[in-house]
Amino acid sequence: MRTVQGAALDGLRARVRALAARRRPDRAGRSSRGGAPLADRGPALPGPVAEAPGRRTSGVRSSRYAAPAPETAARAALAGFGVLLRGLTRPRPGEVCTSAAVLRALRARRGDAPALVRTRSGRTVLVLLDPQDLRRFYAEPVGVLAAATPDKCRGPNPGNPVESADSADSGCSRGEFAAERREAGAEVLAAGRPVHPSHGPFLAALAEEARHLTGSGPGTAAVPLDLARARYAVQRAARRIVLGDAAAADEQLSGWLTHLRAEERGSRGGRVRAARSVHDRARARIAEYAALADEATLVGRAARHADPAGTLDPVGQAQHWLLAMDAVPDTLLRTLLLLGAHAAEQDLAVAEAVAEVAAGAHRGELPRLRACVRESLRLYPVVPDLIRVTRAETEWRGVRYPVGTSVLVPAAFHQRDPERVPAAHVFVPGRWKNPGADQDIRMAPFGHGGGRCPGDQLGLMATAALCAEVLRGHRVTGTRPVLDPVGPLPATLDPRGIRLTLTRR
């Protein structure tokens, strides 16, 4: 049985043969052994064989895997494809459009078969273009498709002191422990429940902090709203929800966590030591709040959760929950911007927000506003692309791929695919009120299956509640950028450039 190391060595040898072939014009483009033509920069996997999509590989080849060579014909167009591997970074609009065009071109050439492509950085990924393959992607256990890279299995990285909860799905030897921790965390977050058990205190905190969004001066007719104001209000509310009212004004803690997130990648030497120091101070501060937190807070619920195996770290989870809520200000601004550009939708949202005051025990549901938030996330997802790494040999459409293959789902592309999504580039919140809309495999603002975000309902409740607090007393009358309420919406909306004007009713 060939090993991964052997496969990598074969790939290196093939590259050497390709370089040698370029020095000999009579044999350029072919391997020294008369094999199949080589890709521009050499194959990403051993034994590159040009095969038709869906064709099963032959068992007589010298290499165990017969994956097709990475696409090279559209190499120039792939200049914008690198955005698919940037995770949470903010892509430029042109890059997103180019990536969508490249993906459509790949699908036109290959049909719906997965495409093995190489980015400008040299990284090779298997891109899934068919919803049926997406269904399998979300259904595979973490032992087959892991959300984290194999490096995560070596233990905590001192250069990455703030480990994401996704590392729980790495599929390494700690997988069982991490799965138990994830299950316990999901119970604390009340995963799957539209209204959190602690919705009373949570909604009260959100209502009080929403005053920072709308201003407190009674004589102010128009109030500006931008990202800085939104972040300030949401971070105060997040600290109260996670740690309790005592943490409301602790901006230093949020500053530490922001610093750690910025240092997550590429920290070395003294920066590693500095990040570890900040990490220790943040943990100590959170532990102080956790000791005093009441049972309605998330950290209080976690501390009182039955945990005989000791799998749930309340302090570490609280740190992760605070970081996770950093996505709320961006989504809040985009949702209000879209409502400001669609007067009819804003009127319906206002009516629901006003009626919700008398909802009693059902407060926090806000189905129409939640649909608006979901539609905002469909158009502008927090995580536009999902990458997982195979932890075992896999086969896609008859082609086998070795351990360590990166598999990518371009979620933003699928959610805006005009060939499969009606009104793909238009703000249509009503689509989320259709039965089964939340299970539509093409739409994955929170993922699907075992990798679905366990805090999705809590995030929806918080964002919709903040929108309701703003709309009860104000109307979004001025927006920047100006959006066309009828034509297609832009590919990206950088929240740093959003400016809203709220007019008192």
Side-chain angles (χ1 to χ4, degrees):
M1 179 180 295
R2 296 182 59 80
T3 65
V4 176
Q5 291 81 1
L9 183 59
D10 280 357
L12 180 61
R13 288 170 176 167
R15 292 193 184 195
V16 173
R17 291 197 299 269
L19 290 173
R22 290 175 185 174
R23 299 176 180 272
R24 292 175 291 178
D26 58 320
R27 301 187 65 182
R30 301 190 63 84
S31 68
S32 60
R33 298 183 183 180
L38 298 171
D40 288 0
R41 298 176 60 185
L45 298 175
V49 180
E51 301 210 34
R55 179 177 175 182
R56 186 173 296 276
T57 58
S58 171
V60 298
R61 300 193 181 277
S62 60
S63 172
R64 181 178 180 183
Y65 306 103
E71 293 282 348
T72 57
R75 185 61 55 84
L78 283 173
F81 189 75
V83 71
L84 294 175
L85 300 177
R86 294 181 186 173
L88 294 175
T89 59
R90 292 185 174 92
R92 293 188 294 272
E95 291 179 328
V96 174
C97 293
T98 302
S99 299
V102 169
L103 290 170
R104 285 194 294 269
L106 287 175
R107 189 165 61 189
R109 290 181 56 193
R110 300 177 57 86
D112 286 334
L116 193 66
V117 302
R118 195 190 308 276
T119 67
R120 292 179 65 186
S121 65
R123 183 175 183 179
T124 303
V125 294
L126 185 66
V127 183
L128 304 185
L129 303 172
D130 185 0
Q132 292 303 317
D133 290 326
L134 303 189
R135 194 176 305 279
R136 175 186 169 188
F137 176 90
Y138 292 119
E140 287 282 13
V142 296
V144 178
L145 280 179
T149 60
D151 288 343
K152 284 286 184 77
C153 294
R154 300 173 185 169
N157 180 358
N160 184 12
V162 184
E163 290 189 319
S164 168
D166 286 340
S167 64
D169 296 332
S170 62
C172 59
S173 60
R174 297 177 296 163
E176 183 177 350
F177 171 89
E180 293 177 1
R181 183 177 62 187
R182 179 179 176 86
E183 182 178 352
E187 292 182 16
V188 171
L189 295 169
R193 298 178 61 175
V195 178
H196 195 275
S198 299
H199 69 280
F202 289 177
L203 292 175
L206 291 165
E208 292 175 12
E209 301 305 334
R211 293 178 297 180
H212 297 290
L213 298 172
T214 58
S216 56
T220 306
V223 180
L225 178 58
D226 58 12
L227 184 60
R229 186 187 289 265
R231 281 179 175 168
Y232 178 78
V234 171
Q235 286 178 353
R236 283 182 59 93
R239 291 192 294 267
R240 294 177 65 177
I241 289 172
V242 177
L243 302 175
D245 293 345
D250 195 344
E251 296 181 44
Q252 185 180 49
L253 174 59
S254 293
W256 286 340
L257 297 181
T258 300
H259 173 78
L260 288 174
R261 168 164 282 175
E263 293 291 331
E264 274 186 355
R265 297 177 180 177
S267 295
R268 294 292 184 272
R271 294 175 63 185
V272 171
R273 291 189 292 272
R276 175 59 64 185
S277 174
V278 173
H279 171 257
D280 292 342
R281 281 182 283 171
R283 277 192 64 93
R285 182 73 60 82
I286 292 173
E288 293 176 9
Y289 290 124
L292 303 174
D294 61 58
E295 59 185 10
T297 62
L298 291 184
V299 72
R301 287 173 57 86
R304 292 163 178 77
H305 187 275
D307 187 26
T311 59
L312 182 62
D313 172 19
V315 173
Q317 287 294 312
Q319 185 169 302
H320 171 70
W321 293 329
L322 288 170
L323 285 169
M325 293 193 75
D326 280 351
V328 173
D330 295 10
T331 304
L332 173 67
L333 277 186
R334 291 189 182 114
T335 303
L336 290 174
L337 175 69
L338 291 165
L339 288 172
H342 298 80
E345 291 292 347
Q346 184 173 180
D347 290 339
L348 293 172
V350 169
E352 180 181 72
V354 172
E356 201 253 355
V357 175
H362 298 287
R363 288 199 64 187
E365 293 185 357
L366 296 169
R368 183 170 293 279
L369 270 169
R370 287 188 184 223
C372 293
V373 176
R374 287 180 183 273
E375 182 69 349
S376 173
L377 288 169
R378 179 189 73 84
L379 292 164
Y380 306 105
V382 174
V383 182
D385 309 287
L386 305 175
I387 298 181
R388 295 183 184 173
V389 180
T390 59
R391 308 292 297 170
E393 177 185 325
T394 57
E395 182 176 308
W396 300 84
R397 302 294 185 95
V399 178
R400 289 179 293 177
Y401 296 90
V403 174
T405 299
S406 295
V407 183
L408 182 144
V409 168
F413 168 76
H414 286 291
Q415 292 177 170
R416 276 203 183 204
D417 183 2
E419 296 182 17
R420 293 191 168 103
V421 179
H425 301 294
V426 181
F427 182 63
V428 186
R431 76 174 82 237
W432 292 99
K433 303 192 76 174
N434 296 328
D438 190 51
Q439 303 302 319
D440 189 334
I441 206 68
R442 300 166 301 178
M443 313 297 181
F446 299 104
H448 291 283
R452 187 182 181 96
C453 174
D456 60 344
Q457 294 297 329
L458 179 57
L460 283 172
M461 186 187 82
T463 310
L466 288 170
C467 287
E469 293 294 336
V470 170
L471 295 174
R472 281 194 194 100
H474 298 77
R475 185 172 188 84
V476 183
T477 56
T479 63
R480 199 177 80 195
V482 177
L483 302 181
D484 185 348
V486 179
L489 292 167
T492 62
L493 277 179
D494 189 340
R496 295 172 297 183
I498 295 177
R499 301 291 186 274
L500 305 178
T501 300
L502 308 178
T503 305
R504 293 187 184 277
R505 295 183 181 278

